[in-house]
Amino acid sequence: MDKPETIQPKFVSVVDQLFDRLRAAIIDNVLTPGTKLSEAEVALNHGVSRQPVREAFIKLANESLLEIRPQRGTFVAKISLPHVMDARFVREAVEADIVKLLADAPDPTVIADLRRQVRAQETLIGGSARDFIAADEAFHRTLAEGADKARAWEVVVEMKAQMDRVRVLSSQHFPVDRLVAQHLAIVDAIAAGDGAAAERGLRLHLQGILTDLPVIKQERPEYFS
């Protein structure tokens, strides 16, 4: 009898671990714009040498999350409005096509998973906005994976870091009930095979940041470049 195949755990390098931790701290505004970061302190706090810290800093700078100033130091970058708007534009274009693909050939398994997620989101209404952000991220990832566009979603994730920083800042203004209702409308349109309705619903859903952005910029002007 053949032995069952052993699934090897995915190796995550020290650089990637540091990158993920620092990236999350910046997006969650634990590390606020303008904060100076020291390679030596980060290395000490994480029990690593300075080399992986330096490499993680470079990756974060490539996402415009850190600003490396020669002879001056490394700082958490302010939020770039043009980057936020570009990310929203790209995300909307990609996800609009994703939901149309799903509606072209509705998959009962994918739809059941999406409906389960929407029901779980309903329990978050009135609760932690951060929990809803995580649930929202999972929902949109499921849309992409259901359309066999996981790699396209990863490109979106890389681009939308600045957009996510705004979403966290705006979390106190989240109309969670409305967002959940929009998710449900998107799923219903996909299930009905109505690509046009799915696209309209998705675009409406992602355009909410256009309303939030001026409010957040007025509340936290020091966070924006």
Side-chain angles (χ1 to χ4, degrees):
M1 181 177 178
D2 293 336
K3 291 183 179 180
E5 182 180 352
T6 301
I7 299 176
Q8 297 295 329
K10 182 180 178 181
F11 173 76
V12 181
S13 71
V14 173
V15 173
D16 287 340
Q17 291 179 53
L18 283 170
F19 170 78
D20 288 342
R21 291 172 191 167
L22 293 171
R23 187 180 191 274
I26 294 170
I27 288 175
D28 288 347
N29 293 298
V30 174
L31 293 173
T32 56
T35 301
K36 186 174 183 178
L37 298 182
S38 160
E39 283 184 10
E41 288 182 8
V42 172
L44 181 63
N45 290 339
H46 291 85
V48 298
S49 68
R50 294 178 63 169
Q51 182 59 34
V53 176
R54 187 174 299 114
E55 292 181 33
F57 279 8
I58 292 171
K59 290 182 67 175
L60 290 162
N62 288 338
E63 284 198 15
S64 300
L65 293 175
L66 287 185
E67 188 177 341
I68 300 173
R69 304 176 191 170
Q71 311 305 319
R72 295 183 61 188
T74 298
F75 300 83
V76 176
K78 292 189 175 184
I79 299 171
S80 163
L81 289 178
H83 285 187
V84 172
M85 298 307 293
D86 284 350
R88 189 211 63 80
F89 178 83
V90 171
R91 181 177 183 182
E92 183 178 325
V94 170
E95 290 204 71
D97 275 354
I98 281 172
V99 295
K100 285 191 292 184
L101 286 172
L102 290 170
D104 284 344
D107 183 326
T109 301
V110 174
I111 291 167
D113 187 13
L114 291 169
R115 291 198 187 283
R116 177 191 59 76
Q117 290 186 40
V118 171
R119 289 194 296 271
Q121 291 167 17
E122 290 171 346
T123 69
L124 300 177
I125 295 173
S128 163
R130 197 65 190 85
D131 287 344
F132 178 75
I133 290 174
D136 179 73
E137 187 83 0
F139 177 85
H140 287 272
R141 180 179 294 277
T142 301
L143 290 172
E145 291 175 347
D148 196 25
K149 295 300 177 184
R151 283 182 295 179
W153 174 251
E154 292 304 327
V155 172
V156 170
V157 169
E158 290 178 9
M159 281 200 66
K160 72 185 185 72
Q162 301 280 16
M163 185 177 173
D164 286 343
R165 295 171 80 186
V166 174
R167 293 178 69 224
V168 172
L169 285 173
S170 67
S171 61
Q172 61 182 310
H173 304 294
F174 267 4
V176 174
D177 54 344
R178 188 176 74 203
L179 296 175
V180 174
Q182 289 172 350
H183 281 171
L184 180 58
I186 292 167
V187 178
D188 285 344
I190 291 169
D194 190 339
E199 179 184 358
R200 285 196 303 272
L202 186 282
R203 290 186 185 278
L204 174 67
H205 180 62
L206 293 184
Q207 287 171 5
I209 195 171
L210 298 177
T211 302
D212 294 339
L213 194 53
V215 176
I216 302 308
K217 189 173 184 296
Q218 185 174 16
E219 289 180 350
R220 299 288 183 90
E222 72 278 10
Y223 278 31
F224 293 83
S225 60

